Amino acid sequence: MNAFRKATSVVQLREAWRSKSKKLRASCFGVDRISASTFEEKLERNIRALHRDLIDVEQPYKSSGLLAIAKRKPNSTKYRIICVPTLSDRLVQFSILQELKPKLQAMGIDNSVSYGIAEGRDKSVIGARVFACSARSKHPWVYKTDIQQFFDNLERDRLREALSRVVKQPTLLPLIEKFIDTEITDGFDKRWRQIAVENGIVWGKGVRQGMPLSPLLAGAYLRDFDRQLAKSGVPVARYVDDIVAFFDTEAEAKGFHARISDALAAIGLNIGEPNVSGSKTTITAPSQPAEFLGMEIAYKPGGGYRLQVSKTCIADAAQKLRDAGQIDYLLEKRISLTSMGRYFESVIQGYLNAYDAANNRDDLRIAITTAADTAQANVLKDLFGKKKLQSLNDKQLRFVGINGRQLLS
């Protein structure tokens, strides 16, 4: 059985659902408005229908298009555009990934500098942060850059050429290439098309961010660039479009910037100049904290470095939880009064898991737990009135989920 037949088989599509069902249930529907719960109601029938569509020679399978979700970036007028495939398209992409992931090292995509593609803690965002902290303890100057509008600027023909070199299962290539050409066809915001254009999306150019295949496509496009990084001998990590490297002097960091700037320009990509206003490229001195993947690598009293959540990040997380204490917001997420406590607990745990390696994780825990308590108290005040809640005794307050009378002030 060739790779295409295996990836599109009922057995593998069923396994893709089994392994990713939790993620699919928690995610948004696509342009067809079919949710995971709706798909699951007739799971076997839907999987078999999808299989038939995939192997139909007379009417080849086509992607259904993408649903745009525009999220405003913090302290900016710009938006981050997340593009959501239909559930069927996601299931197909997960099945393709199941076929390719065991071969990522042989393909050169899972390599000594890349993170965020291969599975396992060591190659996850946590692994990248731990590597960065360890590397800075030996080489304290930090170079950090973010490839400018990476996915939007990928050259599709160059990507197809890269995939033909990297993917050793040629029968899969036509199916993968269908998703390269997938475009946004709808959005939540009425102005979705205008927002997309204003934020750098050009129809026919780039690859849309948010598809399960997106990190694999990024890895294939940057494989040869990764090889150059590895050969340089510099302690360096790349997490999709984020690059961090470590040096003994500022001059070494500047030289590295010049080299990778040229290498990226050769494949149609750009990075900003170091420490220039508006640029995401920085060179950080040994005494200053350096940001990487949402955390800081900060100097530790007595020597060495540690990972910590920045004060700004803690404040932002707490504010998001406080903002969630609104009935309309919770209803939009299908959260009821009886499930509200579990929802906030899961959000808190999600933050704590994401910042598992942080030295100041307790500071984060205290801040977001307090914010969640405040949010839930605000919902109950809206429902029952402040005076009614203030008339309850401490035991009754705990019973309704208010952890402290000060939350009623």
Side-chain angles (χ1 to χ4, degrees):
M1 184 184 295
N2 65 35
F4 172 81
R5 286 286 180 179
K6 187 175 178 183
T8 59
S9 68
V10 170
V11 171
Q12 188 139 318
L13 289 169
R14 196 183 288 136
E15 174 58 23
W17 172 269
R18 188 200 64 77
S19 63
K20 298 296 182 180
S21 58
K22 185 176 180 180
K23 179 178 285 189
L24 290 168
R25 291 189 193 104
S27 61
C28 176
F29 50 68
V31 293
D32 59 2
R33 300 308 195 263
I34 296 175
S35 67
S37 58
T38 301
F39 189 90
E40 194 172 14
E41 286 173 3
K42 299 178 180 178
L43 180 62
E44 191 63 23
R45 181 188 298 181
N46 287 328
I47 285 177
R48 289 186 178 277
L50 180 57
H51 163 70
R52 287 193 297 271
D53 290 343
L54 285 163
I55 63 172
D56 191 328
V57 176
E58 293 184 3
Q59 292 184 322
Y61 184 81
K62 292 183 179 179
S63 163
S64 300
L66 300 164
L67 180 73
I69 300 176
K71 294 187 176 182
R72 191 184 292 275
K73 296 179 179 179
N75 305 315
S76 175
T77 58
K78 293 286 187 179
Y79 287 84
R80 182 169 179 245
I81 312 295
I82 301 300
C83 303
V84 183
T86 63
L87 190 136
S88 292
D89 282 348
R90 271 175 279 173
L91 199 57
V92 173
Q93 292 185 43
F94 282 133
S95 191
I96 292 170
L97 289 172
Q98 280 188 339
E99 183 64 22
L100 292 179
K101 280 205 168 182
K103 306 170 180 68
L104 289 178
Q105 282 192 343
M107 294 161 66
I109 292 177
D110 177 14
N111 54 60
S112 61
V113 304
S114 68
Y115 291 81
I117 300 175
E119 294 181 348
R121 180 184 172 94
D122 288 348
K123 283 293 186 174
S124 68
V125 63
I126 295 173
R129 290 167 176 163
V130 170
F131 163 81
C133 189
S134 175
R136 193 177 192 192
S137 294
K138 301 170 186 173
H139 308 281
W141 281 88
V142 182
Y143 173 86
K144 164 73 174 61
T145 194
D146 186 338
I147 302 173
Q148 295 174 349
Q149 291 188 285
F150 173 64
F151 283 101
D152 296 337
N153 286 317
L154 294 181
E155 297 176 3
R156 293 184 181 181
D157 287 342
R158 193 187 296 273
L159 176 55
R160 289 188 182 92
E161 183 184 340
L163 284 166
S164 69
R165 295 194 309 269
V166 171
V167 177
K168 304 303 181 184
Q169 296 83 5
T171 57
L172 278 178
L173 288 173
L175 184 56
I176 295 173
E177 289 178 1
K178 291 180 188 297
F179 295 111
I180 293 175
D181 295 321
T182 300
E183 295 289 1
I184 301 170
T185 56
D186 197 3
F188 271 137
D189 195 293
K190 291 180 180 179
R191 297 172 50 250
W192 66 266
R193 192 180 295 275
Q194 180 184 343
I195 291 172
V197 171
E198 289 174 350
N199 286 271
I201 290 181
V202 178
W203 272 252
K205 180 183 178 183
V207 172
R208 303 298 157 245
Q209 188 173 0
M211 299 186 293
L213 277 177
S214 297
L216 178 83
L217 299 177
Y221 198 89
L222 293 174
R223 187 196 67 169
D224 293 344
F225 173 72
D226 286 349
R227 287 179 171 177
Q228 294 179 54
L229 293 180
K231 287 179 181 177
S232 72
V234 171
V236 58
R238 179 184 64 78
Y239 191 95
V240 189
D241 56 352
D242 279 306
I243 300 169
V244 66
F246 302 88
F247 303 91
D248 295 325
T249 67
E250 183 180 13
E252 290 174 344
K254 289 180 176 179
F256 179 80
H257 169 77
R259 293 193 300 276
I260 70 164
S261 182
D262 289 345
L264 289 168
I267 53 175
L269 301 171
N270 297 290
I271 52 178
E273 288 300 309
N275 301 339
V276 172
S277 177
S279 172
K280 292 185 178 180
T281 303
T282 57
I283 295 176
T284 305
S287 61
Q288 299 299 313
E291 188 276 334
F292 180 52
L293 298 178
M295 289 182 68
E296 290 180 339
I297 311 167
Y299 184 74
K300 183 169 58 178
Y305 291 87
R306 64 185 179 193
L307 287 169
Q308 63 184 34
V309 189
S310 70
K311 291 180 180 178
T312 301
C313 187
I314 292 176
D316 288 345
Q319 187 60 51
K320 285 179 181 177
L321 278 162
R322 283 191 291 271
D323 290 344
Q326 301 176 40
I327 294 173
D328 288 344
Y329 175 89
L330 293 170
L331 284 175
E332 187 179 317
K333 289 188 169 291
R334 300 179 183 178
I335 306 298
S336 66
L337 179 61
T338 56
S339 61
M340 180 174 68
R342 291 193 300 275
Y343 167 72
F344 280 104
E345 285 174 6
S346 68
V347 174
I348 289 169
Q349 194 57 52
Y351 274 114
L352 294 177
N353 289 344
Y355 296 105
D356 181 55
N359 183 266
N360 61 340
R361 188 168 176 263
D362 282 347
D363 295 340
L364 173 68
R365 178 183 55 77
I366 292 168
I368 61 178
T369 300
T370 300
D373 288 345
T374 300
Q376 292 177 85
N378 287 340
V379 171
L380 293 171
K381 282 189 284 186
D382 286 345
L383 282 173
F384 305 114
K386 186 175 177 180
K387 287 185 178 180
K388 178 64 176 176
L389 291 173
Q390 286 176 331
S391 69
L392 301 178
N393 61 41
D394 289 347
K395 183 190 292 186
Q396 291 169 328
L397 285 175
R398 287 198 305 273
F399 181 75
V400 298
I402 295 179
N403 298 314
R405 192 168 292 277
Q406 71 277 6
L407 295 172
L408 298 176
S409 60

